[in-house]
Amino acid sequence: MKRVLKEKLSVYSTMIKSVSYAPMQKTLTVKYNSGDAYKYDGIKATVFEELREAPSKGKFLHAYVIGTYKFKKLK
């Protein structure tokens, strides 16, 4: 059985509750303060690293992830 590794990012944001990244699947899961959660596909590790370093996680997501990558709303 293959072990899936995920990295969770601590987030202090008015928009985002939590962010986690699965490098082997290249997926970014974002849980918003609204209660909605989305999984974005095709996210390279470099994008996650840039998100980690971004002063505003919400602004980064709007500029580089939302509308750029395919996504699925989670239940």
Side-chain angles (χ1 to χ4, degrees):
M1 185 173 203
K2 196 178 208 182
R3 185 175 174 188
V4 177
L5 300 176
K6 269 194 175 179
E7 186 174 349
K8 193 166 184 177
L9 179 62
S10 294
V11 178
Y12 303 99
S13 171
T14 57
M15 181 179 140
I16 302 163
K17 184 174 184 178
S18 67
V19 175
S20 61
Y21 180 65
M24 294 183 79
Q25 292 80 18
K26 295 184 180 178
T27 58
L28 182 73
T29 303
V30 180
K31 293 180 182 177
Y32 294 94
N33 289 329
S34 67
D36 292 335
Y38 291 85
K39 183 175 281 190
Y40 298 90
D41 295 319
I43 305 289
K44 294 180 182 178
T46 54
V47 173
F48 180 68
E49 290 301 320
E50 290 172 3
L51 173 61
R52 177 197 312 275
E53 299 299 321
S56 171
K57 309 309 186 223
K59 286 181 183 178
F60 182 90
L61 284 175
H62 277 291
Y64 300 105
V65 176
I66 298 170
T68 302
Y69 293 92
K70 290 183 181 181
F71 66 91
K72 176 173 78 171
K73 185 173 183 179
L74 304 176
K75 293 183 179 183

